[in-house]
Amino acid sequence: MKLEHLIQGYNFNKIPAKINQEINKDNEKAGVIKFNEDIYASYLLDKKGFVEAINLFSNCVTARASKITSDNQIEHTINVLTIIQKTIELLGNTKKEEANSILNQLEIFNGQLKKKAVRFLDYIYKIESMDGILMFSIVKEDEGEK
């Protein structure tokens, strides 16, 4: 999927997203997508401008220090899960049920989050938590890796 279509897909699904920074160096194109002050994603484009990999980073606790309440934390968690689910649907070209199945296979809802990866169709989905940061990655598999 082209980056511009991914951004349009997020915004169409009521997930505010904008390109925050672009890097074009040594024939590699990359950048950062900003969802809000707590959630960002880095992306890597192939030579044709298609998203080849995306890493979503989120603070596990909302960074809005003056507004740390249980309601805000629940809202933040829902936002993170919605963005992850929609990223799987848009980038992986899956249905909502398939995206939920991937999240279940990653054991995101099973107590303590552990580093785990799942292969589905042409992508590898990986999730891990380190020092209060949640990292969710989607990487398109090369034909040689299969």
Side-chain angles (χ1 to χ4, degrees), residues 6-134:
L6 181 62
I7 298 295
Q8 289 171 356
Y10 286 129
N11 288 307
F12 177 80
N13 286 285
K14 297 179 176 62
I15 299 171
K18 65 179 182 177
I19 297 172
N20 196 47
Q21 181 180 8
E22 291 182 291
I23 301 164
N24 194 352
K25 187 177 180 181
D26 300 329
N27 291 328
E28 288 201 353
K29 295 180 183 178
V32 176
I33 300 169
K34 180 180 180 179
F35 296 100
N36 64 38
E37 61 273 1
D38 296 322
I39 308 168
Y40 290 84
S42 61
Y43 61 85
L44 177 66
L45 303 179
D46 66 11
K47 293 177 183 176
K48 296 180 182 177
F50 288 90
V51 177
E52 194 159 278
I54 192 163
N55 292 313
L56 186 126
F57 298 91
S58 171
N59 290 319
C60 291
V61 176
T62 183
R64 295 176 276 175
S66 63
K67 299 180 181 178
I68 297 178
T69 65
S70 58
D71 288 345
N72 284 344
Q73 186 60 42
I74 290 169
E75 179 184 336
H76 173 67
T77 303
I78 290 169
N79 286 340
V80 170
L81 291 173
T82 301
I83 292 168
I84 290 173
Q85 179 189 42
K86 201 49 73 177
T87 301
I88 294 169
E89 290 176 33
L90 292 169
L91 197 57
N93 194 24
T94 65
K95 296 178 182 176
K96 187 175 187 174
E97 295 78 19
E98 292 168 327
N100 288 340
S101 174
I102 291 168
L103 290 173
N104 281 328
Q105 289 176 50
L106 290 171
E107 298 179 358
I108 197 166
F109 306 112
N110 294 357
Q112 188 168 351
L113 188 63
K114 297 178 183 172
K115 182 177 177 179
K116 183 148 183 162
V118 172
R119 178 180 286 138
F120 184 76
L121 297 176
D122 294 339
Y123 291 91
I124 297 174
Y125 302 89
K126 185 171 124 180
I127 195 155
E128 61 185 300
S129 177
M130 49 200 157
D131 298 327
I133 301 291
L134 177 75

